[in-house]
């Protein structure tokens, strides 16, 4: 059985990946997938997405990835079904806006656990089902991992400090892992978007009506642009996609300018 696994599938980018992948014919090994595993906490949202897309091919896997038994349940489902995983998309993530000291201890813990620990552990339990599959496939046509990082991970971000740090973690892990799994024909694509019009900002500010403001508002993109570009990058086997002109400039600046100078601009652009 060939499958794709998507975390964060109940909303935003993960949901859009599911919509695109249900129609995917042959762009990834195993496509069209026998099953697409949809992972998030909200069973209701996942079930309604599955019913809309194709209940026979979508498997609803309601899990809290920050809980102790979330990963264990995914691991036992994998060992029970023994699938060939052609695509893993790590999209579940969160970040709370505001000064680090003003955040609750619970939010600090959830941010690090979801963005770093859960992403690492999901990848760790799914990977054996990708490498064994990749070993049987023609070179360069192996399984793909898409990790959603962020342009926030390029630089320290005062008032978004913890989130930015977790996304630096995702970038560094993804790029090294891409080298490690190459011999097994598996490719890791790290996607770095800027602001995107999803529930992320609402969760970030604890406000159902929140939108991006200030400088970030000028660079807001949408999932219908970002997700096809991410899938294309993964198919081509690119190790990194920095999405959008503004984010590309930020990436370049982070490579060539002193960090203190960029922090000075960040402070004065608020
Ligand atoms: N939107 C942006 O501006 C932006 C920019 C750069 C990068 N990103 C990154 O893009 C990724 C996708 O975010 P998005 O924009 O699509 O935001 P979103 O609409 O808020 O989606 C977040 C997803 O993560 C899931 N999730 C949250 N906590 C979870 C948990 N404990 N266990 C399992 N699933 C959990 C949510 O589902 P449930 O609530 O049902 O669990 C939801 O499906 C994230 O990694 C985010 O950091 C976002």
């Amino acid at each position: 059985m060939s499958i794709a696994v998507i975390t964060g599938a109940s909303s935003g980018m993960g949901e859009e990946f599911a919509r695109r992948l249900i129609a995917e014919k042959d762009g990834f090994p195993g496509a069209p997938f026998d099953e697409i595993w949809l992972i998030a906490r909200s069973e209701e949202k996942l079930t309604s997405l599955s019913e809309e897309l194709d209940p026979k091919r979508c498997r609803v896997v309601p899990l809290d990835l920050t809980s102790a038994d979330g990963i264990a349940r995914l691991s036992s489902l994998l060992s029970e079904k023994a699938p060939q995983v052609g695509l893993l998309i790590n999209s579940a993530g969160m970040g709370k806006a505001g000064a680090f000291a003003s955040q609750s201890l619970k939010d600090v813990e959830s941010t690090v656990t979801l963005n770093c620990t859960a992403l690492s552990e999901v990848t760790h339990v799914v990977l054996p089902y990708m490498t064994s599959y990749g070993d049987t496939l023609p070179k360069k046509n192996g399984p793909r991992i898409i990790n959603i990082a962020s342009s926030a991970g390029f630089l320290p971000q005062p008032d978004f400090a913890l989130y930015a740090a977790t996304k630096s973690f995702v970038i560094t892990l993804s790029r090294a892992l891409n080298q490690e799994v190459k011999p097994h024909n598996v490719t890791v694509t790290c996607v770095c978007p800027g602001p995107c019009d999803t529930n992320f900002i609402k969760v970030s500010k604890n406000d159902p009506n929140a939108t991006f403001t200030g400088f970030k508002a000028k660079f807001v993109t949408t999932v219908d642009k970002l997700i096809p570009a991410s899938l294309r990058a993964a198919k081509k086997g690119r190790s990194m996609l920095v999405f959008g002109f503004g984010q590309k400039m930020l990436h370049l600046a982070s490579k060539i300018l002193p960090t203190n100078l960029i922090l000075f601009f960040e402070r004065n652009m608020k």
Side-chain angles (χ1 to χ4, degrees), residues 97-144:
F100 178 72
S102 72
Q103 294 177 14
S104 69
L105 191 56
K106 176 85 190 108
D107 282 343
V108 169
E109 189 192 2
S110 303
T111 304
V112 177
T113 308
L114 183 63
N115 296 5
C116 301
T117 312
L119 179 139
S120 309
E121 291 182 352
V122 167
T123 306
H124 193 268
V125 299
V126 175
L127 201 51
Y129 301 87
M130 305 187 86
T131 50
S132 57
Y133 188 25
D135 287 337
T136 68
L137 293 166
K139 219 169 172 37
K140 296 198 173 158
N141 286 329
R144 302 287 195 256

Side-chain angles (χ1 to χ4, degrees), residues 8-13 40-42 63-66 91-93 114 148-150 163 167 193-196 198-200 212:
S10 66
S11 165
M13 298 181 198
R41 289 166 303 180
S42 170
L63 294 178
D64 182 348
L65 293 171
T66 63
S91 188
L114 183 63
I148 307 294
S150 168
Y163 177 71
K167 292 302 181 176
C196 184
T198 65
N199 277 338
F200 176 84
F212 289 100

Side-chain angles (χ1 to χ4, degrees), residues 6-17 39-46 61-67 70 90-95 110 113-115 118-119 147-153 160 163 166-167 170 191-204 212 216 220-221 223 226-227 247:
I6 308 173
T7 74
S10 66
S11 165
M13 298 181 198
E15 180 182 342
E16 185 66 16
F17 274 119
I39 300 176
R41 289 166 303 180
S42 170
E43 184 166 7
E44 203 181 319
K45 286 190 198 165
L46 295 179
V61 188
L63 294 178
D64 182 348
L65 293 171
T66 63
S67 79
N90 282 302
S91 188
M94 61 170 285
S110 303
T113 308
L114 183 63
N115 296 5
L119 179 139
N147 284 339
I148 307 294
S150 168
S151 59
F160 218 12
Y163 177 71
T166 65
K167 292 302 181 176
V170 176
V191 175
C192 298
C196 184
D197 188 12
T198 65
N199 277 338
F200 176 84
I201 189 66
K202 300 170 178 51
V203 174
S204 174
F212 289 100
K216 286 187 179 168
V220 178
T221 190
V223 290
L226 172 66
I227 301 313
Q247 315 313 316

